[in-house]
Amino acid sequence: EVQLVESGGGSVQAGGSLRLSCVASEFILSSYCMAWFRQIPGKGREGVATLYSSGYTDYADPVKGRFTISRDNAKNTLYLQMNSLKPDDTAMYYCARRYCTSGAWKIAAQYNHWGQGTQVTVSS
């Protein structure tokens, strides 16, 4: 069974850093397009960053220059390094998998597997 398990969330002060991890099981992570999304209560999931199987990366404008998506093929793990955190970054963060032939990466409906999420809270 395909599984994605996130970890690394927590509470930090503004300006701090966190690194989220997403361990993939039963598939080779580097063969798929992966992404991190975030969600706050009452709102839809927002695409934060993507990493294609080719190694191409893209980021949502609010996190450009602060967040970095990467993967460790040996560990079959996806990461999101988050620096210079702001209170607006507070959300539940999810990793997700889609086929690279599907559409725009920021559309949550394009993804067919999701992790359970990890909470990030940034205080001012």
Side-chain angles (χ1 to χ4, degrees):
E1 179 186 355
V2 169
Q3 279 195 321
L4 296 166
V5 179
E6 301 98 332
S7 63
S11 297
V12 295
Q13 289 193 323
S17 298
L18 284 172
R19 188 178 78 156
L20 306 184
S21 300
C22 171
V23 178
S25 301
E26 301 302 321
F27 73 99
I28 299 173
L29 186 147
S30 60
S31 296
Y32 291 83
C33 285
M34 302 296 296
W36 288 96
F37 281 74
R38 64 187 181 187
Q39 186 174 26
I40 59 175
K43 294 207 170 182
R45 292 186 180 183
E46 173 193 23
V48 173
T50 189
L51 174 58
Y52 284 28
S53 56
S54 63
Y56 170 81
T57 61
D58 197 14
Y59 299 88
D61 286 343
V63 308
K64 280 182 180 175
R66 299 189 297 123
F67 290 12
T68 303
I69 189 170
S70 63
R71 67 185 178 222
D72 184 326
N73 293 341
K75 295 182 178 180
N76 214 34
T77 300
L78 182 74
Y79 300 102
L80 184 68
Q81 178 67 45
M82 305 186 295
N83 298 329
S84 302
L85 283 162
K86 304 175 181 179
D88 284 350
D89 295 319
T90 295
M92 184 73 79
Y93 283 72
Y94 300 88
C95 66
R97 185 194 92 168
R98 68 179 177 93
Y99 294 105
C100 293
T101 51
S102 62
W105 73 266
K106 293 180 183 177
I107 300 175
Q110 301 288 350
Y111 295 79
N112 57 357
H113 287 284
W114 295 81
Q116 82 289 348
T118 185
Q119 177 68 37
V120 172
T121 302
V122 184
S123 58
S124 58

